[in-house]
Amino acid sequence: MDTRVELELREVSHRFGLRAVFENVCGTACGAQTLVVAGANGSGKSTLLRIAAGLLAPSSGRALFRWNGQELDAVARREHLGYVAPDLMLYRELSAAENLLFFASLRGISPSREELISMLAEVGLKGRGRDLVGAYSSGMRQRLKYAFALLARPPVLILDEPTANLDDAGVEIVRRIIDDQRVKGGITLIATNEARETAWGDTCIRLGSQ
Amino acid sequence: MGRHVHTAGLAVAAADPVRPSRPGWWRQALALTGKDIRAELRTRVAMSAVGVFTFAALMLLAIATEQLRDAQAVRQTVVYGLLDRQSVAVTGADLRPAWDAVGKMGLLWVLLSFAAFSGLSHSFVHEEETGTVTALRLSAPAGAIYAGKLLFNLLLLFAIAAVVTPVYMLITGMPAGTPGVLALLMLGGCGGLAATATIVAALAARAGSGGALYGALGLPLLVVFLLLLLNAASGLYTVDASVVRIIRDVGGLFSYDVLIVAVSALTFQYVWEE
């Protein structure tokens, strides 16, 4: 993976009604970099990540996503990113394997049975692919979100509270995913208020500290 | 590796990513419809909502029809008894509710409309309530989502109409008229109703206001839809109605279908994206 992808936050501000969540946030990340967004609860970390992912339009400023020098709009960039967040849920009435197959088909990927098993094993869900997601624990659901995010080997990973609900083994898997992303030259954007996760980043944007 | 996921996704280093090309929107729509059908067959949430409503409505209709039969039978016995000094056996055809065929057709579609509005909203509201909407937005464009949801709602409504209509005809004695025209009417009606319910459900779900907005937005569209449908039904039951009239009346209904689908498809992406 060459340094073909670049993420830039250019004077991004967002308001919910009259309340300004954050103002004029700037930051850049390009190949093999990990950018951490830190701040207290309610400082707007998740909102900033949604803006970066193209899921939310900022009140002002721009979140730019360049792929091979070409700027991608909010919808087009989604093809190139994996997203894990507390507000992202998978279908409880489907099994883990059915969820992955469904989202893979939407993305134009057709993983074989072996690939699916391998994918689940990588996030620590070996042998649980046929279980309904509704029967999963919160930690298992978090692991499945990583399998969902990595479906298309995206060059950009956006992780909101990356280790929420995970045990030590789960945290180790996340750390490995971030390391692997770095080795492949991809970008990782993390929102956290945990000191341990802040240390995973190359650069850090602190919200609520202006 | 083309369109296949890398087997050792997390362990592979320095692999140059080959972006999978997105499938056509209609393939994505079919995948979404398939997922909705699978989920519905497991949870039966929409089918339960629609089933309970239609069963209750048909039961009430059957009871009301029975009471009407009794009252009509007594009235006819008295009338004929006074005239002929004897009781007259009353035939089944005489014992149906006194509404004309168009009135019965109108009542059928009122029933189907309420059934549709109680069940078809589920597909969007459920995505919003359970938080799966974010995963969907990340994985497919708005056009494919709209088409997939519309197709699912259309199939669900066809299934409802296929069960409800014969039972309703049995209870009320609604005539079939010309079968081909009736089939066209049902097709156009289901299409219009599914399209209306789908876009209104999407608006209500995204606005987060649930039922209130659903009713407020749905009612004006529903009135127009029912007026066009009854207009088409009047042609169905007119003896010796000309082909031109039938085409004009049924064409009006299909025009509504095309219009509502086109407007919905254009507006949906603004509804879908925040």
Side-chain angles (χ1 to χ4, degrees):
Chain A
M1 196 182 294
D2 305 322
T3 52
R4 296 187 296 186
V5 64
E6 189 182 350
L7 189 64
E8 182 186 353
L9 302 168
R10 191 184 290 171
E11 297 187 344
V12 177
S13 303
H14 198 72
R15 308 181 79 85
F16 286 119
L18 293 174
R19 190 176 73 84
V21 186
F22 49 76
E23 287 182 325
N24 300 322
V25 174
C26 296
T28 308
C30 52
Q33 282 190 332
T34 301
L35 177 62
V36 171
V37 180
N41 294 146
S43 58
K45 301 186 295 295
S46 301
T47 304
L48 188 63
L49 259 60
R50 287 182 71 81
I51 289 170
L55 292 168
L56 182 67
S59 302
S60 68
R62 296 184 71 191
L64 303 167
F65 190 107
R66 293 190 198 90
W67 173 257
N68 278 341
Q70 187 188 353
E71 196 177 315
L72 301 181
D73 66 19
V75 175
R77 77 179 58 169
R78 293 174 196 165
E79 200 171 326
H80 304 280
L81 60 86
Y83 183 79
V84 175
D87 66 338
L88 177 128
M89 296 291 171
L90 301 177
Y91 295 99
R92 297 172 64 91
E93 58 272 31
L94 301 183
S95 70
E98 287 169 341
N99 265 291
L100 294 180
L101 282 172
F102 167 61
F103 286 110
S105 68
L106 290 184
R107 286 175 174 265
I109 306 163
S110 46
S112 66
R113 188 171 176 276
E114 290 70 30
E115 286 169 334
L116 211 58
I117 291 169
S118 166
M119 224 181 288
L120 287 166
E122 293 289 350
V123 294
L125 292 174
K126 189 178 180 183
R128 306 302 298 269
R130 288 184 180 174
D131 294 359
L132 292 183
V133 173
Y136 270 18
S137 69
S138 52
M140 290 167 76
R141 267 182 241 140
Q142 180 75 353
R143 288 168 184 239
L144 185 61
K145 288 178 192 179
Y146 278 95
F148 162 76
L150 294 168
L151 263 176
R153 290 187 296 132
V156 175
L157 274 181
I158 296 184
L159 312 176
D160 187 1
E161 296 183 27
T163 59
N165 302 312
L166 290 178
D167 54 17
D168 288 345
V171 172
E172 184 55 32
I173 287 172
V174 173
R175 206 187 51 76
R176 198 150 47 85
I177 288 170
I178 294 169
D179 285 348
D180 188 60
Q181 183 75 354
R182 193 193 300 272
V183 168
K184 287 191 289 182
I187 292 173
T188 308
L189 182 58
I190 299 172
T192 185
N193 46 22
E194 299 247 352
R196 176 186 60 187
E197 293 164 16
T198 309
W200 293 345
D202 302 307
T203 47
C204 181
I205 296 172
R206 290 203 177 273
L207 296 181
S209 60
Q210 288 98 328
Chain B
M1 211 168 68
R3 294 159 72 85
H4 288 265
V5 162
H6 212 291
T7 315
L10 305 180
V12 168
D16 192 34
V18 179
R19 309 310 310 159
S21 59
R22 290 243 170 176
W25 65 268
W26 55 275
R27 276 186 189 275
Q28 293 175 312
L30 284 178
L32 180 58
T33 304
K35 185 277 295 175
D36 277 351
I37 291 172
R38 188 191 291 258
E40 179 58 33
L41 289 175
R42 273 186 200 160
T43 61
R44 296 191 175 89
V45 176
M47 282 194 287
S48 301
V50 172
V52 168
F53 176 82
T54 46
F55 178 74
L58 286 172
M59 281 299 292
L60 283 171
L61 204 60
I63 292 166
T65 304
E66 196 60 39
Q67 287 176 344
L68 208 57
R69 279 182 192 181
D70 293 343
Q72 211 168 3
V74 169
R75 192 165 60 246
Q76 285 182 346
T77 303
V78 170
V79 171
Y80 286 118
L82 287 172
L83 290 174
D84 304 338
R85 300 282 171 195
Q86 58 182 349
S87 294
V88 176
V90 185
T91 62
D94 297 324
L95 300 179
R96 304 298 183 191
W99 319 307
D100 63 7
V102 177
K104 289 173 184 172
M105 176 64 86
L107 191 61
L108 168 66
W109 280 98
V110 168
L111 196 157
L112 286 174
S113 298
F114 280 104
F117 269 61
S118 65
L120 302 193
S121 66
H122 172 72
S123 60
F124 269 118
V125 174
H126 184 67
E127 302 273 7
E128 202 70 48
E129 284 177 350
T130 55
T132 50
V133 71
T134 302
L136 261 190
R137 288 179 69 202
L138 286 164
S139 306
I145 304 293
Y146 172 72
K149 293 292 181 187
L150 175 62
L151 185 59
F152 171 74
N153 281 347
L154 193 60
L155 292 175
L156 185 62
L157 195 55
F158 276 145
I160 296 165
V163 173
V164 168
T165 307
V167 178
Y168 179 86
M169 289 170 84
L170 204 66
I171 292 172
T172 64
M174 185 186 86
T178 311
V181 180
L182 178 66
L184 271 178
L185 205 67
M186 298 304 291
L187 189 71
C190 284
L193 196 51
T196 307
T198 302
I199 190 63
V200 173
L203 285 165
R206 296 299 285 163
S209 57
L213 189 62
Y214 195 51
L217 290 172
L219 188 65
L221 290 171
L222 209 54
V223 169
V224 174
F225 166 74
L226 286 173
L227 284 173
L228 284 167
L229 200 126
L230 290 182
N231 188 44
S234 67
L236 171 67
Y237 294 123
T238 303
V239 180
D240 297 331
S242 67
V243 176
V244 174
R245 181 185 167 179
I246 289 172
I247 290 172
R248 185 195 66 195
D249 292 347
V250 177
L253 182 64
F254 276 92
S255 298
Y256 172 87
D257 292 4
V258 172
L259 187 70
I260 194 82
V261 169
V263 171
S264 301
L266 288 171
T267 54
F268 183 76
Q269 63 176 325
Y270 299 104
V271 176
W272 188 241
E273 299 295 337
E274 283 176 22

